[in-house]
Amino acid sequence: MEGQKTGALPGQEKPDGQQVRQLLGRQAAVIFDLDGTLVDSMWMWEQIDIEYLSRHGYERPPTLEKDIEGMSFSETAVYFKETFCLPDSLEQIKQAWIDMSIEKYRREVPLKKGALRFLQFLKGSGIPVGIATSNNREIVDVVTKSLKIRPYFQVIATACEVAAGKPAPDVYLNVAGRLRVEPEQCLVFEDVPAGILSGKAAGMAVCAVADVFSAHMEEEKRRLADFFIEDYDEIF
């Protein structure tokens, strides 16, 4: 599916944001990733990785970001336990991450630029909206509640609730099914290559969203996705 522009429109000279706006009139639903896509939180997880691993006498490997990209919360816990030979159980590892992240999500993590305006537009247009995230359900509930965005989503699914995390298509297909729309009628917003591949594997058009944390992957993101935007204000 790499490089296949399933959602592209005629007139490629138009900015991607304008093309996305036009495509919305033809798509039945929109599905968002959460971290790095809707909320500016990826910086926080890098800090948590450093702090958590230091507790066990390890430095954060430079390849960790790419090694765990797209994994579900549970899959990431398994990776950490096996890779770093951690004595904690999987549940203890996950609970430690939850405890370390909850207050940061409540107090330090904002929505991405233009995201609220875009959510309001989708709601006003009657377009069903879902979240397909690799994060933990408890954390997702905290984020959507603290940012007061829960009412904008008809469906929220985590990769822990399906057979395989991203780049497998499972979580996106789950959300589309629960929204009662065909995959090819969905437009996905994602911030990293594994997520983009997940949406494409599900047969959906994908718009990549810029994020400081994945800035070094921008060329790859542009190549894999149908569209690329710096922020959601570009759609208007």
Side-chain angles (χ1 to χ4, degrees), residues 57-213:
Y58 292 99
E59 292 186 359
R60 183 182 186 272
T63 60
L64 182 63
E65 172 191 352
K66 196 65 178 176
D67 292 342
I68 64 175
E69 183 185 312
M71 288 185 184
S72 72
F73 201 72
S74 296
E75 288 171 337
T76 305
V78 172
Y79 178 89
F80 267 66
K81 183 169 179 61
E82 294 179 352
T83 301
F84 302 105
C85 301
L86 300 176
D88 294 347
S89 69
L90 295 177
E91 289 308 312
Q92 287 173 324
I93 295 170
K94 290 188 286 186
Q95 191 59 53
W97 291 340
I98 291 169
D99 294 341
M100 294 168 75
S101 66
I102 288 291
E103 283 307 309
K104 288 183 181 293
Y105 270 114
R106 284 182 175 141
R107 302 178 186 278
E108 301 178 42
V109 173
L111 282 166
K112 298 294 285 282
K113 186 174 183 289
L116 180 58
R117 180 186 180 192
F118 187 42
L119 290 173
Q120 291 169 337
F121 167 80
L122 294 172
K123 185 174 183 179
S125 301
I127 298 173
V129 181
I131 288 177
T133 176
S134 297
N135 214 328
N136 167 272
R137 170 64 67 169
E138 183 178 347
I139 292 174
V140 176
D141 290 343
V142 166
V143 175
T144 54
K145 181 179 179 180
S146 65
L147 293 174
K148 299 180 173 60
I149 58 173
R150 182 62 184 88
Y152 292 101
F153 304 101
Q154 286 73 56
V155 172
I156 295 177
T158 76
C160 295
E161 299 162 359
V162 296
K166 304 171 185 177
D170 303 38
V171 69
Y172 279 110
L173 292 174
N174 178 284
V175 174
R178 290 164 61 190
L179 288 173
R180 298 185 178 182
V181 298
E182 295 299 320
E184 59 269 22
Q185 295 179 301
C186 297
L187 173 60
V188 165
F189 288 85
E190 268 283 359
D191 70 305
V192 293
I196 295 168
L197 289 169
S198 177
K200 296 294 288 182
M204 303 175 181
V206 180
C207 179
V209 180
D211 187 67
V212 172
F213 189 79

